[in-house]
Amino acid sequence: MKKKMVSMMLCAAMTAAMVAGCGNREETPAEAPAAEAGEETPAAEDGEEAPAEADAEESEAPAEGTLVMATNAYFEPYEYYEGDQIVGIDAEMAAAVAEKLGMELQIEDMEFDSIIPAINSGKADIGVAGMTVTEDRLVNVNFSDPYTTATQVIIVQEGSEIAGNDDLAGKTIGVQLGTTGDIFAEDVEGATIERYNKGMDAVQALANGIIDAVIIDNEPAKQFVSKAEGLKILDEEFVTEEYAIAIAKDNEELLEKVNTALEELTADGTIQSIIDKYITAE
Ligand code: GLN
């Protein structure tokens, strides 16, 4: 229900703001009708066209007692390197979840658009990467209950003529490949989209004047802008999204355990204190 609402909000916001409709596209390869199937319910039991690797036999956890988390560790404050260690809200929260499950967390860093395939091939148990719940992703994976919310924002150069959403038409927009910012940019009329593997690479291209704007999640946006020269985040707020933990469709048992852990960690204030440690209120 909630998940559907968020996606609908995303769709509605995009449609209203950008003229174009809200079709299915991006990370669901081929099989367009699958996107419709996702709209009904997050139904694992339907068993309709799941991706080839996702059959039941294949998704055993790699090692007993180890919870493997797939992420893209260039998304401060959610996941990033401190020396050779991956830290951040997602890393700490996942470690707390693993502890509840009596397991040890192992973090695997990869490209953002490899995370869902890694879960479905059994290389990872959970995907935790500031990952927004979307209808298209729900076709391929289940999501836990959301653990936080975020918004998409626009970053521009300080002197830019782009003052809001509507001014993006016809511009060159940088995004991180396969993210909701990427989906959002696709609905901007006449825009050219430059896709980068890391959000910071898009921001750097903006600082260098190669592109006109970047669409990205609000908290990483703040971090990236603070590390570059002459950039600002526009005030206009877009859609609110929910971040959740992605889990293979055939691993309902893990989904339940993770949700129970999240519930306990929310109730006892652990999640909020992890968020507060990394995000200071302005
Ligand atoms: N929240 C965005 C998404 O899920 C971006 C996530 C990320 O870049 N790590 O697409």
Side-chain angles (χ1 to χ4, degrees), residues 14-256:
M14 289 194 300
T15 308
M18 304 296 182
V19 183
C22 189
N24 53 282
R25 54 171 64 78
E26 95 276 347
E27 64 265 75
T28 315
E31 291 166 338
E36 257 89 65
E39 247 158 73
E40 232 349 279
T41 92
E45 63 277 2
D46 281 7
E48 80 289 286
E49 313 94 328
E53 316 88 294
D55 49 24
E57 275 101 271
E58 274 190 47
S59 68
E60 264 128 38
E64 194 96 27
T66 305
L67 187 70
V68 181
M69 158 180 159
T71 197
N72 175 250
Y74 296 90
F75 204 64
E76 194 174 345
Y78 298 98
E79 41 270 324
Y80 59 100
Y81 281 94
E82 228 171 57
D84 58 5
Q85 230 205 325
I86 296 171
V87 298
I89 294 167
D90 289 347
E92 281 201 31
M93 180 194 62
V97 167
E99 203 186 330
K100 287 265 179 210
L101 270 52
M103 298 172 92
E104 203 177 310
L105 186 72
Q106 180 188 321
I107 304 180
E108 297 289 338
D109 185 18
M110 59 189 71
E111 302 299 355
F112 184 76
D113 67 347
S114 299
I115 295 172
I116 288 179
I119 294 164
N120 281 330
S121 67
K123 267 189 229 146
D125 304 304
I126 55 174
V128 197
M131 193 181 278
T132 305
V133 179
T134 71
E135 291 298 334
D136 284 344
R137 289 176 185 156
L138 278 166
V139 174
N140 293 315
V141 284
N142 283 334
F143 279 101
S144 70
D145 295 329
Y147 58 89
T148 194
T149 57
T151 56
Q152 293 294 309
V153 296
I154 299 172
I155 309 174
V156 293
Q157 286 197 345
E158 261 158 16
S160 174
E161 58 178 25
I162 300 170
N165 189 345
D166 293 343
D167 302 327
L168 287 174
K171 301 287 194 239
T172 302
I173 303 170
V175 297
Q176 188 181 0
L177 175 71
T179 60
T180 47
D182 188 350
I183 299 166
F184 198 85
E186 284 189 8
D187 275 341
V188 178
E189 239 196 317
T192 304
I193 307 176
E194 294 292 339
R195 297 182 169 87
Y196 300 85
N197 277 325
K198 300 185 179 81
M200 189 61 201
D201 293 346
V203 172
Q204 208 54 61
L206 176 64
N208 294 338
I210 296 166
I211 55 176
D212 302 314
V214 171
I215 302 179
I216 200 152
D217 302 46
N218 58 327
E219 289 300 333
K222 287 186 210 160
Q223 298 293 332
F224 296 151
V225 163
S226 74
K227 293 184 172 84
E229 287 290 305
L231 303 180
K232 63 175 182 185
I233 299 169
L234 297 183
D235 290 337
E236 189 173 346
E237 284 233 325
F238 290 125
V239 52
T240 298
E241 304 180 343
E242 289 182 321
Y243 289 173
I245 299 175
I247 299 172
K249 284 213 172 270
D250 58 6
N251 206 346
E252 300 258 356
E253 193 191 328
L254 182 61
L255 180 68
E256 267 169 45

